Amino acid sequence: ILATLQHEGYVRNEGGLGQYRVTERTRRLGAAYSEKSRLVDVGAPLVLKVTKKIKWPLAIGILDSDSIVVRYSTMPYSPLAVQATTLGHRLGLLESAMGLAYLAFCDEGERKILLDMLRGLAPDGALDADAQIQAVLATTRQRGYGLRLPKASGASATVAVPIALEQHVAGVLSMTTFGRSMTAQT
């Protein structure tokens, strides 16, 4: 193990007497650990406990640039999962329940930045219906959750709520299920 750490630059042998010193490079190890990582570390055991109790699959999503990325999913532990897992899936901010929940509840400045970014990524004119987007986000805020209904028979549906940390949205919690068991009325 020490030889590998030395080869990678994390430790240095001090004089060949079996004494090693940690190098500056080890500081980088902690730099990747963020508030978002902590959200998943703290949330995952709680979400798994809930899934084991209620049987429904849950997921934790985190904002990553122009998408929500599923960082934890209990689908492997749920008898009601529609697929094996969604871990690692990138979900559009305007097309997914998680994305809508995030956009609807994040602060106005962040929302503006995200929508401007989406406009810049979309083909010309594809994201010009600002009034329509604002109406969808207002409906989401009024409901208190993001909703993605199935687009086709047999497709899944998702409901998502923001995970707030102090005054900002740190992530999103969702439940995905069979589309036929979730309608706009339920």
Side-chain angles (χ1 to χ4, degrees):
I1 293 172
L2 283 170
T4 301
L5 290 171
Q6 184 176 4
H7 180 263
E8 296 297 321
Y10 292 106
V11 297
R12 179 173 296 132
N13 187 313
E14 293 293 327
L17 301 172
Q19 295 181 357
Y20 290 82
R21 182 177 59 80
V22 176
T23 68
E24 178 71 21
R25 186 162 189 183
T26 58
R27 292 178 126 189
R28 296 184 203 164
L29 294 173
Y33 192 83
S34 66
E35 177 182 286
K36 294 175 181 182
S37 301
R38 182 157 167 71
L39 175 67
V40 175
D41 286 348
V42 170
L46 300 171
V47 168
L48 180 58
K49 184 176 179 180
V50 171
T51 291
K52 287 182 175 182
K53 182 175 181 177
I54 68 171
K55 307 300 183 218
W56 292 103
L58 303 172
I60 298 172
I62 305 292
L63 179 69
D64 182 21
S65 184
D66 63 337
S67 303
I68 298 292
V69 177
V70 177
R71 294 292 184 208
Y72 183 75
S73 172
T74 64
M75 283 188 173
Y77 307 97
S78 170
L80 304 172
V82 296
Q83 55 188 320
T85 188
T86 54
L87 188 63
H89 286 198
R90 293 186 72 82
L91 307 169
L93 293 175
L94 294 172
E95 300 81 27
S96 68
M98 287 181 129
L100 290 172
Y102 192 96
L103 277 176
F105 293 97
C106 69
D107 72 60
E108 190 174 331
E110 182 179 10
R111 184 178 316 109
K112 182 181 179 337
I113 291 168
L114 291 170
L115 290 174
D116 286 348
M117 183 188 325
L118 292 174
R119 279 186 197 89
L121 295 172
D124 287 341
L127 199 62
D128 286 339
D130 196 51
Q132 184 180 3
I133 292 169
Q134 294 305 325
V136 169
L137 295 177
T139 299
T140 301
R141 277 190 293 280
Q142 182 180 13
R143 256 195 320 249
Y145 57 88
L147 179 64
R148 180 189 55 79
L149 294 173
K151 292 186 170 132
S153 178
S156 66
T158 302
V159 61
V161 295
I163 301 170
L165 181 61
E166 295 177 7
Q167 298 298 320
H168 76 280
V169 177
V172 189
L173 176 67
S174 73
M175 181 191 77
T176 299
T177 187
F178 303 103
R180 66 181 175 272
S181 56
M182 192 184 306
T183 65
Q185 292 75 32
T186 57

